[in-house]
Amino acid sequence: MPNPWTGIGNPYTRREVLDRLQATLDRGEPIIAAGAGTGISAKFLEKGGVDLIIIYNSGRFRMAGHGSTAGLMAYGDANAVAMEIGEFEVLPVVEEVPVICGVHATDPRRRMWHWLLQVKDMGFSGINNFPTHAIVDGQFRQILEETGMSFQKEVDAVAIAHKMDLFTIVYVAKAEEATAMAEAGADVVIAHVGTTIGGTIGVTDASCTLEEAATRTQSIAAAAKAVRSDVICLSHGGPIATPEDAAYVNEHTDVVGFVGASSLERMAFEESLTELTQKFKQIPVQRKS
């Protein structure tokens, strides 16, 4: 059934989002997705030519001056926050770019099929699995897996979204997670290699070098493409923090683009506001004689 809203912005069908991404690649351009925690961020990310805008609860914390990892903590209802940012800030101002909703699929209080229907009804064109337990490790990850809040719940949500004709773009940290997501029908797999370094609230020491990040990214991309050759693979996080870093990863792996949250939204505000404020502080005080 044709999308009655085609030509006037969101929402898009899964096929329409994929066609837009393929058109980007056909023009010889990388796919760039960006997290937005405010409407003003989304508006100017779109103006800059971003291909996808993703709304996650961490964006609210990030733009409030807190580390993005706050989005993984019990500081609020992640699903409700993402929906609120989308409904009242981002969806009203984005004119054309598909907007994706971050979904905390392991929330035991949500009937996921019911929640995804609400996400779709709101006008989102797809979902992303954030907060994600893919980036949790060690004993805490084991506890989550054993007590009903496993990464598999995120995989299951993607499978449901796929049946609903929602576009799906997912974070994974390991090759086996990429395999599971590709089997569930994920359209785009993002190799998440850690919290972004740099800025005032990023980590100061990445868990891997840029070269190691490229190696990890390639192992994830290869695993996803071994399941379905049509899976689009992107990079994110860790030492991949600048356009130059993302270019290096593109040139050394099978990924075709980058997902930026802190590296696009937070750092842009930190750098530009600091510089602009310093310039204002240099204006003359005295009237010219």
Side-chain angles (χ1 to χ4, degrees):
M1 179 179 178
N3 180 0
W5 306 111
T6 299
I8 56 172
N10 287 287
Y12 294 98
T13 66
R14 171 179 173 268
R15 184 72 261 164
E16 287 169 339
V17 177
L18 287 170
D19 286 346
R20 289 173 63 91
L21 297 183
Q22 187 58 52
T24 293
L25 295 175
D26 290 345
R27 293 193 298 270
E29 300 173 5
I31 294 170
I32 303 298
T38 66
I40 193 71
S41 300
K43 178 179 287 190
F44 285 94
L45 286 166
E46 179 173 44
K47 188 174 181 179
V50 77
D51 297 290
L52 298 170
I53 293 173
I54 309 175
I55 310 304
Y56 350 81
N57 72 321
S58 63
R60 172 159 291 174
F61 291 108
R62 181 167 54 245
M63 298 311 290
H66 310 298
S68 297
T69 304
L72 293 170
M73 305 300 289
Y75 301 148
D77 183 336
N79 285 309
V81 169
M83 184 73 85
E84 182 179 295
I85 295 172
E87 180 178 8
F88 297 115
E89 296 191 50
V90 174
L91 288 169
V93 301
V94 171
E95 296 180 358
E96 185 182 5
V97 173
V99 179
I100 311 303
C101 184
V103 171
H104 193 189
T106 61
D107 186 340
R109 304 164 302 168
R110 305 280 184 184
R111 294 168 294 160
M112 197 45 53
W113 63 269
H114 184 254
W115 182 248
L116 293 179
L117 286 172
Q118 293 179 62
V119 167
K120 186 172 185 178
D121 187 58
M122 183 56 65
F124 288 100
S125 298
I127 68 162
N128 168 254
N129 63 325
F130 193 91
T132 175
H133 293 177
I135 57 177
V136 179
D137 57 14
Q139 184 178 4
F140 186 46
R141 173 66 179 271
Q142 181 179 344
I143 292 170
L144 290 170
E145 294 289 330
E146 293 177 357
T147 56
M149 291 163 278
S150 67
F151 180 76
Q152 183 60 42
K153 292 286 184 70
E154 300 177 31
V155 176
D156 294 342
V158 167
I160 295 170
H162 184 73
K163 290 180 180 179
M164 292 180 177
D165 195 36
L166 279 164
F167 171 80
T168 52
I169 175 169
V170 300
Y171 285 121
V172 301
K174 301 175 183 177
E176 53 265 37
E177 294 168 349
T179 297
M181 283 296 193
E183 290 174 344
D187 298 302
V188 179
V189 168
I190 310 164
H192 195 305
V193 295
T195 302
T196 302
I197 65 169
T200 61
I201 50 176
V203 297
T204 57
D205 185 20
S207 60
C208 60
T209 65
L210 185 59
E211 293 75 15
E212 290 168 339
T215 300
R216 287 175 57 185
T217 296
Q218 178 56 29
S219 69
I220 289 169
K225 287 185 170 294
V227 177
R228 294 196 349 263
S229 61
D230 64 335
V231 177
I232 296 170
C233 297
L234 308 176
S235 66
H236 171 82
I240 315 171
T242 68
E244 293 75 21
D245 298 332
Y248 175 89
V249 175
N250 268 22
E251 291 168 349
H252 291 82
T253 70
D254 292 326
V255 304
V256 292
F258 174 72
V259 178
S262 293
S263 53
L264 267 168
E265 185 181 37
R266 171 174 61 81
M267 290 185 184
F269 276 88
E270 288 181 355
E271 295 170 6
S272 61
L273 286 178
T274 300
E275 182 179 344
L276 184 59
T277 303
Q278 289 171 345
K279 288 181 179 178
F280 271 110
K281 285 294 290 181
Q282 294 170 8
I283 67 175
V285 177
Q286 302 296 327
R287 177 178 177 175
K288 274 191 174 182
S289 57

